[in-house]
Amino acid sequence: MYSISLFLPTIVSKMAYSNKQSQLMTVPLYVVGCIAAIAGGYLSDRSKKRGVYMIFFCVIAIIGFLLLISTTSPHMQYAATFFVVSGCVLLRPCQVS
């Protein structure tokens, strides 16, 4: 999860944005991750089945990682990071709870 924040500006800068714009393009990624964490946490608490949600979010993260390694298009890599963050953001809180 933490490595995404290190190489995401590089992916975005390959999309012909300036340095300032590439930093701003990282914000929507974490907004989507926050929404996924809140929704997944709420649903897993309501159903009291954390394992099922952890598996689901792992699959989403795996899809994102597969997209990241299988393409060289910066636009597709940027889209893949949404899957990675959305999938990884819920795993640690569900594991600890």
Side-chain angles (χ1 to χ4, degrees):
M1 179 67 184
Y2 297 112
S3 64
I4 296 287
S5 63
L6 296 176
F7 68 82
L8 184 62
T10 304
I11 293 172
V12 176
S13 67
K14 290 180 186 176
M15 295 167 49
Y17 289 110
S18 68
N19 288 339
K20 188 185 294 185
Q21 289 173 322
S22 67
Q23 289 294 328
L24 287 174
M25 290 296 290
T26 63
V27 173
L29 176 72
Y30 294 107
V31 171
V32 170
C34 178
I35 292 168
I38 291 170
Y42 177 78
L43 292 172
S44 69
D45 280 346
R46 295 279 295 183
S47 67
K48 301 205 186 302
K49 296 182 180 180
R50 297 194 198 285
V52 174
Y53 287 92
M54 289 177 70
I55 291 170
F56 175 75
F57 278 85
C58 275
V59 169
I60 290 174
I62 289 169
I63 290 169
F65 282 122
L66 289 173
L67 288 171
L68 273 173
I69 64 172
S70 66
T71 184
T72 58
S73 166
H75 296 288
M76 191 59 151
Q77 289 176 338
Y78 180 68
T81 57
F82 281 88
F83 286 98
V84 171
V85 169
S86 296
C88 290
V89 76
L90 185 71
L91 297 179
R92 184 66 181 154
C94 278
Q95 183 182 12
V96 172
S97 298

